[in-house]
Amino acid sequence: MPSALSETRLFRKRSSQTKSQITTISKPVPRSGASSPIDSTQRPSEEKTAVGDSSSSDILRNNHSPSPKYDEILLDDSAILAPCEYIRSLPSKNVRATVVQACNLWFKLSEIHTVAIIDIISDLHNASLILDDIQDDTVLRRGSPATHCVYGNAQAINSAIYMIVNNCAKLGQLQLVGPAAMNALVNGTIELSVGQSWDLKWKAHLHCPSVGEYMAMVDGKTGAMLKLIIHLMHSMSDQRQMDSAMHLFDRLVLLLGRFYQVRDDYQNLQDDTYSEQKGFCEDLDEGKISYPVIACCNADPTAKDIILGIFREKRDPSVNPLPKSTKIFMLQVIDRSGAFESTWNMLQTLGKDTWDALLALEEATGKASPGLQQMIKMLINTVQPPKRW
């Protein structure tokens, strides 16, 4: 029987042989023309290993076979543009385009710049509508299915973000546009997002803001969009005499934004045309803290408990939309509180203030704008006194 010392020596000898074999297999194959640690008289392809009859180069070739070739496939932008084209195809009042064309009386921009601003503002507005409909669980937009109801939330959100970011690219492609234009676009977009954040927070927490808080929120949404139009046009204009009138432009669009938004809140609960396009009193389905709701809650604590209580229970997915009978009851509560009457009175005040702001701007610049005059008159004259519920 071999001794333990003999077994140990035999194990070490076999281990040494195995290590030598592994080292031989794993020796790198030198590149052509490169110096080799192997004797120059012996080529790597001639060196045999201890494993079968294969050379190390044979083993490397087997382990590194060429990768298969694939045809390159280029995907177009049709998927991301489909929701964009859909929202653009829906009927619109084109208020923002009207403002651009009417104000060009003062800024005198080229057709290329005017069309570009209308395109940028329209896309920014449409992107905000896509996101707004998702955030408010709205199923109709301008009488048609909301964009996310056609393409799904994920694709709609992706396309809305694309439209917002792509606006910067569009602006950057315009000639003779300085950094002031990009600053106006970026700052305006930020202001829109901040304004929307308060609207969403009040709705989520069922908080009824004061009239002053509501107006500040509107200034950050509707007013900020109109202000963005004016400051984009100003940044591209060479009419430097308009510099001294910018505070008058700012006042006009701020009042116009307030009037437009309060009017929209009022018409949603009063105008049958809105019911045809968006559904009967759709703002109540959304649980929207609109101006008539704020006026109601601030005037009558009992009415506030009823309205906010229904909004709270409406968060149950099974209660969507609200039954028509429930919405009629809410309209009666709002009516009894005097909120529709006070909203009507606010619209008369805002309409007059907006008209006066336009006249002040026209007087300061020495130029009248028939386009803005016609638009503001239309907005004022199409608001009817409140119905009794």
Side-chain angles (χ1 to χ4, degrees), residues 64-128:
H64 299 279
S65 58
S67 300
K69 293 183 179 179
Y70 296 97
D71 294 331
E72 289 188 4
I73 299 177
L74 300 178
L75 299 177
D76 61 24
D77 53 7
S78 59
I80 200 168
L81 289 180
C84 307
E85 295 300 331
Y86 177 79
I87 188 73
R88 289 170 186 152
S89 71
L90 301 183
S92 173
K93 295 184 284 290
N94 294 318
V95 171
R96 291 148 198 87
T98 300
V99 171
V100 173
Q101 292 165 343
C103 288
N104 204 35
L105 169 78
W106 291 291
F107 295 109
K108 300 185 182 303
L109 299 182
S110 68
E111 183 178 359
I112 292 176
H113 288 88
T114 304
V115 171
I117 290 176
I118 292 175
D119 188 35
I120 288 170
I121 294 298
S122 296
D123 270 3
L124 185 58
H125 177 60
N126 283 328
S128 71

Side-chain angles (χ1 to χ4, degrees), residues 11-25:
F11 174 79
R12 288 178 176 173
K13 182 178 180 181
R14 290 174 177 173
S15 298
S16 177
Q17 291 174 347
T18 303
K19 182 177 181 181
S20 175
Q21 293 173 1
I22 294 173
T23 303
T24 303
I25 294 173

